[in-house]
Amino acid sequence: MSAKNIAVFMGGLQFDSQRKIFEGINAAAKEDGNRLYFFACDLSSAEKFNKGELNIFSLAELEKFDGAVFYSETIYDDETREKIVARIKKSGIPCVSINDPDPGILNISDDNWDVMQHIVDRLVIEKGVEVVNYVAGPQSSKDDTARRTSCREALEKYGLGIPNERMYFGDFQSISGRKAVEYFRERHLLKADAYICSNDLMALGVYYALLEEGINAPEDVYITGFDNIFIARSHTPRITTVERNERFQGRRAYEMLMAAFNGESQDNNVFLPCHVKWGSSCGIENAGREEASDMALNHFVRMKLRSDRYTAMLGDLTAEMTSVGSLGEYIDVVKNYIALLAPDECYLCLNEEFIENDLAIRESTRGDAESFDLSAEDAVVKDYSERISIVIAYRDGAFRRGTEVAKGELIPGGIDSGMEGAYYVISPLHYLDRCFGYVAICNSKIPLESNFYHMFLMALSSGLENVRDTIQKQNMIKRLNEMWVYDALTHVYNRAGFLKYADRYVDIARLAHQKLFFMFLDMDHLKKVNDEQGHDMGDRMIKAMADILDKNKRPDELLMRYGGDEFVILARGYSEETGKEYVERIHEAMRAYSEENKLVIPLEASIGYYIVDSTISEPVSTIIKLADKEMYEAKKGKRRS
């Protein structure tokens, strides 16, 4: 039986709860030899940044997968969650949702309700709690909504409650606990009997922020958390928390998905019990075995050493990224860090559109009207392109040749070519909402261990933005240089550009002992065109004249718009005979253009030329005037005729 490909949608892998659920799913899938593709993001308070992160979920083409697991609770954006659910249902593949019941999708959830009721009952009855400050997670979190709603209803049984001003919404990070204390202090609401927090990290943030205010737990206030993470249960005082069996939940989610594959009957909604772990942060001593002090100390030493190693690595990477100026230099730097992530495979994948549009050194932008508009902003690539360039491919301890894949294939050879029993973490590369690409990393523990991997990805993204910015500045300088030497309407040389290169051109003719050929052209009827057909039509005629001259001249000849309707060509190696043929070719091209475009007033011009020896001492400007006289004679001849 061939291995199945399972898509997993999850945010914040570095959080303890998400990591444990990940480990549960992965352990079960590995036993069956199935592949997992974890589409992961880490959200912040910056809306544009979050758009770039959330965009990773659009990369999964669900029709290519056999099934999906959706931990919607970790993706704090209602619109994105709704889109993922709609795409899953449309694809027709079986799916299990975690902590978010939805009609038509299997679900496995924690029973937040009873456990929060139990916490409130004991705090009120045994500890006499009356005033509660609640530190919540994101308002869009359904899991958190269940916790805070249950807490409020439990307090209402006792005639108590949580006024809106005593409710702070954070993001599950420890800094939210500190910000919550600042929020309550500013509103003179710091004093409370208990701080009930929606997770342990925020509870720890509250504890230390209150300590700085001279408020101690449990002497002055009680503090509770949720999730029973290691640093909460090994903390002094031990944080009162809630134990969830996330690894079991992850495994059961996978087993429910397999049962759906096999057509087995099962409950659509499964609820797992949670258990309160009372600790001394609520003044309840000997509530259970504390973590062994030696184990806790070893854990923190290990964490400190790992943090130091990661910090040094990030510092080096960030420093190197500041000096990269091209995609090649960027790739060389990143390759030095891939092996340090200890992956079985790793692929750095960039939008083809991003490479072609944002990382290309522009050639001469002559003929491109937009290149002369410095106010025009470059289009921001916000989505993944249909073709993806894999610019770094690392497998079996060696770098392989880069390749190109279709958007939904993710890795070389497509998702079916992945290692059986392996997991791939797919993470976005972006700058705000500008989409660069993604990284696919296989069987590396780094994305699960800490916030390091997220910071590593941000450093990679910043490096790409630095390369893009450097190249865009180079292109802007090129544009500015071209604006100085090119005419804005016709994009042929203006006087400054012509004179910049003319002396060098004369020197080349002198070394080759070639004669110089100066042609001067003055368009006829342009005033009449402007008066009768408007200046837009006049501009079209001028541009058409420039195009005809450009197509008929040799590549090395210099073409200049000398004035409003006047042009000059500087060439070499012409005789009287070949000079006349040159002029006739231009007249013939004007006639053809007039007939093809059915012009009422034909495109015509008076042309004069002047041939001189390259050893002359007169400046180029003087010879142009001589050619101008020849043109004037030609124009007088037209009038007489």
Side-chain angles (χ1 to χ4, degrees), residues 19 73 77 89 158 165 190 243 260 270 345 390 492 530 622 640:
R19 177 178 56 79
E73 165 61 19
D77 184 82
K89 290 180 177 179
Y158 301 100
E165 61 269 20
L190 203 56
E243 182 180 59
V270 175
E345 301 174 27
I390 300 179
V492 302
N530 287 332
T622 300
R640 285 196 296 270

Short mmCIF file of all heavy atoms in Angstrom, two decimals, residues 19 73 77 89 158 165 190 243 260 270 345 390 492 530 622 640:
data_model
loop_
_atom_site.label_atom_id
_atom_site.label_comp_id
_atom_site.label_asym_id
_atom_site.label_seq_id
_atom_site.Cartn_x
_atom_site.Cartn_y
_atom_site.Cartn_z
N ARG A 19 3.41 21.83 19.82
CA ARG A 19 4.51 20.88 19.61
C ARG A 19 4.07 19.47 20.02
O ARG A 19 4.35 18.49 19.30
CB ARG A 19 5.74 21.30 20.40
CG ARG A 19 6.91 20.33 20.30
CD ARG A 19 8.12 20.82 21.07
NE ARG A 19 7.82 21.08 22.47
CZ ARG A 19 7.72 20.14 23.41
NH1 ARG A 19 7.90 18.87 23.09
NH2 ARG A 19 7.45 20.46 24.65
N GLU A 73 -7.50 26.36 15.94
CA GLU A 73 -7.34 27.19 17.14
C GLU A 73 -6.04 27.98 17.13
O GLU A 73 -5.94 29.05 17.74
CB GLU A 73 -7.39 26.26 18.36
CG GLU A 73 -6.90 26.83 19.67
CD GLU A 73 -7.72 28.02 20.10
OE1 GLU A 73 -8.84 28.19 19.62
OE2 GLU A 73 -7.21 28.78 20.93
N ASP A 77 -7.07 33.99 12.74
CA ASP A 77 -7.63 34.84 11.70
C ASP A 77 -8.86 34.14 11.13
O ASP A 77 -8.75 33.09 10.49
CB ASP A 77 -6.60 35.08 10.59
CG ASP A 77 -7.11 36.04 9.52
OD1 ASP A 77 -7.04 37.25 9.74
OD2 ASP A 77 -7.58 35.54 8.47
N LYS A 89 -13.53 21.22 2.38
CA LYS A 89 -14.82 20.64 2.00
C LYS A 89 -14.94 20.50 0.49
O LYS A 89 -15.46 19.51 -0.02
CB LYS A 89 -15.95 21.50 2.56
CG LYS A 89 -16.07 21.43 4.09
CD LYS A 89 -17.21 22.30 4.59
CE LYS A 89 -17.38 22.16 6.10
NZ LYS A 89 -18.47 23.01 6.64
N TYR A 158 -22.17 32.54 41.43
CA TYR A 158 -21.95 33.07 42.78
C TYR A 158 -22.27 34.56 42.86
O TYR A 158 -21.88 35.24 43.82
CB TYR A 158 -20.50 32.82 43.20
CG TYR A 158 -20.12 31.35 43.20
CD1 TYR A 158 -19.40 30.81 42.14
CD2 TYR A 158 -20.49 30.52 44.25
CE1 TYR A 158 -19.05 29.47 42.13
CE2 TYR A 158 -20.14 29.17 44.25
CZ TYR A 158 -19.43 28.64 43.18
OH TYR A 158 -19.10 27.32 43.18
N GLU A 165 -13.91 45.70 31.53
CA GLU A 165 -12.67 46.43 31.78
C GLU A 165 -11.64 45.57 32.53
O GLU A 165 -10.46 45.92 32.62
CB GLU A 165 -12.94 47.71 32.57
CG GLU A 165 -13.56 47.53 33.95
CD GLU A 165 -15.08 47.55 33.91
OE1 GLU A 165 -15.65 47.34 32.81
OE2 GLU A 165 -15.69 47.79 34.97
N LEU A 190 -5.44 47.19 39.18
CA LEU A 190 -4.39 46.21 39.44
C LEU A 190 -4.77 45.26 40.57
O LEU A 190 -4.46 44.07 40.52
CB LEU A 190 -3.09 46.95 39.79
CG LEU A 190 -1.77 46.21 39.58
CD1 LEU A 190 -1.64 45.73 38.14
CD2 LEU A 190 -0.60 47.12 39.94
N GLU A 243 -3.92 20.40 32.90
CA GLU A 243 -3.19 19.39 32.13
C GLU A 243 -4.07 18.89 30.99
O GLU A 243 -5.19 18.44 31.21
CB GLU A 243 -2.78 18.22 33.02
CG GLU A 243 -1.97 17.18 32.28
CD GLU A 243 -1.56 16.03 33.18
OE1 GLU A 243 -2.46 15.37 33.75
OE2 GLU A 243 -0.34 15.80 33.32
N ALA A 260 -11.52 7.25 8.96
CA ALA A 260 -12.32 7.83 7.88
C ALA A 260 -11.86 7.28 6.53
O ALA A 260 -12.69 6.99 5.64
CB ALA A 260 -12.20 9.35 7.90
N VAL A 270 -15.40 14.24 19.30
CA VAL A 270 -14.83 13.56 20.46
C VAL A 270 -14.29 14.61 21.41
O VAL A 270 -13.57 15.54 20.99
CB VAL A 270 -13.70 12.61 20.02
CG1 VAL A 270 -13.03 11.99 21.24
CG2 VAL A 270 -14.24 11.52 19.11
N GLU A 345 16.27 16.63 4.63
CA GLU A 345 16.14 17.37 3.38
C GLU A 345 15.81 18.83 3.73
O GLU A 345 15.19 19.10 4.77
CB GLU A 345 15.01 16.82 2.50
CG GLU A 345 15.15 15.37 2.10
CD GLU A 345 13.92 14.86 1.36
OE1 GLU A 345 13.22 15.69 0.71
OE2 GLU A 345 13.64 13.66 1.43
N ILE A 390 13.38 26.19 -7.02
CA ILE A 390 14.07 25.67 -5.83
C ILE A 390 15.54 26.03 -5.99
O ILE A 390 16.29 25.38 -6.74
CB ILE A 390 13.86 24.16 -5.69
CG1 ILE A 390 12.37 23.85 -5.55
CG2 ILE A 390 14.64 23.62 -4.48
CD1 ILE A 390 12.03 22.39 -5.41
N VAL A 492 15.31 58.01 -27.33
CA VAL A 492 16.61 58.07 -28.01
C VAL A 492 17.44 59.09 -27.24
O VAL A 492 16.94 59.79 -26.36
CB VAL A 492 16.47 58.45 -29.50
CG1 VAL A 492 15.58 57.44 -30.22
CG2 VAL A 492 15.94 59.87 -29.68
N ASN A 530 -0.31 69.36 -34.99
CA ASN A 530 -0.68 69.81 -33.65
C ASN A 530 -1.92 70.69 -33.67
O ASN A 530 -2.81 70.56 -32.80
CB ASN A 530 0.48 70.59 -33.01
CG ASN A 530 1.62 69.68 -32.59
OD1 ASN A 530 1.42 68.51 -32.27
ND2 ASN A 530 2.84 70.21 -32.60
N THR A 622 29.68 72.11 -34.06
CA THR A 622 29.86 72.93 -35.27
C THR A 622 29.47 72.14 -36.52
O THR A 622 28.80 72.66 -37.42
CB THR A 622 31.32 73.40 -35.37
OG1 THR A 622 31.64 74.18 -34.23
CG2 THR A 622 31.53 74.23 -36.64
N ARG A 640 10.15 75.33 -52.88
CA ARG A 640 10.15 75.85 -54.26
C ARG A 640 9.37 74.91 -55.19
O ARG A 640 8.69 75.34 -56.11
CB ARG A 640 11.59 76.01 -54.76
CG ARG A 640 12.30 77.22 -54.16
CD ARG A 640 13.55 77.55 -54.95
NE ARG A 640 14.54 76.48 -54.87
CZ ARG A 640 15.49 76.44 -53.93
NH1 ARG A 640 15.55 77.39 -53.02
NH2 ARG A 640 16.36 75.46 -53.92
#
